[in-house]
Amino acid sequence: MRTDRLGRLRSRMEEQGTDLVVLPPGEDFLYLTGRLPLRDERACFLMISMDRALLLVPRLQVGELAQLGLPLFPYADPEGPTRAVREATRTLGRVRTVAVADDLRADHLLLLQDLLPDARFTLASSLLAPLRMRKDPDEVEALRRSAAAADAGVLAAIRACRPGVSEREVAEAAGEAMRRAGAEEVLFTLVASGPNSAFPHHRSSDRALQPGELVLLDLGGRMGGYCSDITRMAFLGPPPENCREVQRIVEEAVQAALETIRPGVPAAEVDRAARRVITEVGYGDRFVHRTGHGLGLSPHEPPSVTEANPIPLEEGMVFTVEPGIYLPDAFGVRLEEAVVVRPHGPEILSRLPREGFEIPA
C-alpha cells in the first residue's frame, strides 16, 4: 500500500464524513496500492475504512493480492461473493456512507446496496480526484517518459505517411514504434487524412492518403502506468493555403492557452484564452470540444479544461491543451500538448515541434 496516499485519502474521508471506500481493480486501485490486478466479471474490491483496509478477492487472485499484506476475504466461483462481502463489511463496523468507484459494475453496486441497505452511496471521485490531479515528482517523470514514447510514435507515423498508404497502416507503424520505445500499452492511434480529419474522434480506416492533403495524428499510450496524449499535423506535399492558415490560428490558440497557465488561474480561463483566438477569426462554432483534460493514470481524468470549470490550477497538475478547428467535408486541424503546471507557467512534456511536418508527396 502507498501509505502516504492512503493517509491523504483518509483525511478527505474524515472531511466528507465517508465511512467506507470501495474500489475495484482500476486506476484508483493502482494509485493506492501500486498494483493493477486483472479485472473481469468477478467482484474484487479494495475496501478502505478510517482504520482498516482489506481485500475482497476471488480465490484465483489470492496468491497475487496476498503480496499487498492486507486481510483477505476470498470466495470461490461456485458460491459467489455475497458471503465474503457480508463478512468483510461486518468487520468494518457501522457504515453510513459508502463511496464507490465511478466505474464500479452495476451488479457489484447492487450487491453492496443489498448488504448495506441503510447506507448512503456516493462517488469515490469526489475523494480521489483532487488527490490524483496533483502529481508528485515520480509521477511527472513517468509521464515524461510516456510522452517520449508517444513522440517516437509520431515520428514513425510521419515516416510512414505517403500517398497510397492507408490510415490504418500509418496507425500500425505508430503503435509499433511506441511499443519499441517502451510503452506497455498503446491506447489509441488516431490517423485521420483529408476530410476524415474534420471528425475529432475519427477511427483510423482503410482510406488511402492522397497528395496535397493533411493528416492528423493523435496518439496515446501507457508507460509505467502513466498515459501520453499528443496530436500533430502532417502535410503530404504543399497543402492548400487555407490549411496552413487554419494551422496558424490553432497554433495561436495553443500559445494563448499556454501563456495563461500558472497556479491560481481557473481552468476555465485556459479554455477561454484558446477559444477567444478561434472565435475572433470566425471559427468559434468549429471548435466543438473543450480545450483539454487531465492526464495521469487515466488518459482522461480531472481537471477538465472547459469554460464551465472554475477550479484553480495547482502546481503539479497535468492536463492537455488541444484546441482545434473542424471544417466538414474539407479538413480539421488540432494541435495538442500535455503540460505540467509549474510556479511560473507550463512545462511541455513533448519534445516535438508543432508547426506541421511537410512530407514530399
Side-chain angles (χ1 to χ4, degrees):
M1 289 290 291
R2 293 292 303 266
T3 55
D4 54 338
R5 295 176 180 177
L6 184 60
R8 292 197 295 270
L9 171 61
R10 283 179 167 145
S11 293
R12 291 192 60 81
M13 290 171 64
E14 186 174 19
E15 290 170 6
Q16 295 192 15
T18 302
D19 301 307
L20 177 64
V21 173
V22 179
L23 305 173
E27 286 83 8
D28 288 334
F29 191 112
L30 176 61
Y31 179 76
L32 293 171
T33 69
R35 300 187 68 91
L36 185 60
L38 177 69
R39 183 173 184 175
D40 60 16
E41 74 279 6
R42 298 176 179 88
C44 179
F45 305 148
L46 172 62
M47 306 178 77
I48 300 166
S49 69
M50 288 300 298
D51 57 5
R52 298 201 67 188
L54 55 85
L55 286 162
L56 173 93
V57 292
R59 285 201 183 277
L60 80 167
Q61 289 179 285
V62 165
E64 173 190 4
L65 291 177
Q67 299 174 41
L68 290 175
L70 298 176
L72 300 180
F73 289 78
Y75 67 92
D77 284 347
E79 65 175 322
T82 301
R83 174 197 55 79
V85 175
R86 183 179 290 112
E87 291 177 0
T89 54
R90 281 175 179 166
T91 70
L92 297 170
R94 185 182 179 189
V95 175
R96 296 156 297 183
T97 302
V98 184
V100 300
D102 295 27
D103 59 349
L104 186 69
R105 283 174 55 116
D107 56 339
H108 298 165
L109 173 61
L110 291 172
L111 172 61
L112 289 167
Q113 289 176 327
D114 284 344
L115 295 176
L116 297 168
D118 298 325
R120 181 175 68 91
F121 283 76
T122 63
L123 293 176
S125 56
S126 65
L127 299 166
L128 280 155
L131 303 181
R132 286 178 51 188
M133 273 194 293
R134 190 167 183 174
K135 273 61 178 181
D136 62 33
D138 288 345
E139 290 180 290
V140 172
E141 181 55 33
L143 285 160
R144 199 177 285 120
R145 291 194 298 269
S146 190
D151 283 357
V154 171
L155 294 175
I158 290 165
R159 289 192 295 269
C161 284
R162 60 185 184 275
V165 172
S166 73
E167 295 174 348
R168 204 181 312 278
E169 289 173 306
V170 175
E172 289 170 356
E176 182 179 347
M178 291 169 69
R179 283 186 285 268
R180 284 199 307 268
E184 298 129 14
E185 184 179 0
V186 176
L187 298 172
F188 52 89
T189 50
L190 189 162
V191 178
S193 59
N196 286 345
S197 60
F199 302 109
H201 279 177
H202 171 70
R203 299 185 67 176
S204 303
S205 72
D206 291 324
R207 182 184 187 276
L209 278 57
Q210 304 296 323
E213 66 184 15
L214 55 73
V215 183
L216 186 152
L217 307 166
D218 186 354
L219 310 179
R222 184 176 275 116
M223 186 172 179
Y226 285 82
C227 299
S228 59
D229 196 354
I230 183 173
T231 306
R232 291 294 188 267
M233 306 300 303
F235 302 96
L236 288 179
E241 182 60 32
N242 61 335
C243 289
R244 283 293 190 186
E245 175 62 14
V246 170
Q247 164 115 0
R248 182 190 63 77
I249 295 165
V250 174
E251 171 62 21
E252 287 185 9
V254 172
Q255 289 285 359
L258 293 175
E259 290 168 5
T260 305
I261 295 169
R262 60 186 182 278
V265 171
E269 287 303 315
V270 180
D271 182 273
R272 292 188 188 113
R275 201 167 300 278
R276 189 179 303 116
V277 171
I278 293 174
T279 300
E280 286 177 353
V281 295
Y283 285 121
D285 62 339
R286 299 304 184 190
F287 181 9
V288 295
H289 53 72
R290 61 189 172 181
T291 292
H293 56 80
L295 190 68
L297 289 168
S298 301
H300 282 206
E301 62 182 45
S304 180
V305 185
T306 171
E307 59 187 342
N309 189 359
I311 186 172
L313 301 182
E314 297 180 43
E315 185 178 356
M317 284 184 173
V318 179
F319 54 86
T320 65
V321 172
E322 49 180 306
I325 295 173
Y326 307 92
L327 306 177
D329 302 318
F331 63 87
V333 172
R334 180 168 67 255
L335 295 170
E336 178 181 20
E337 298 286 17
V339 303
V340 186
V341 179
R342 297 303 192 189
H344 303 294
E347 173 194 346
I348 297 173
L349 294 178
S350 171
R351 293 293 178 261
L352 296 181
R354 287 193 301 272
E355 56 261 27
F357 297 85
E358 189 165 320
I359 304 163

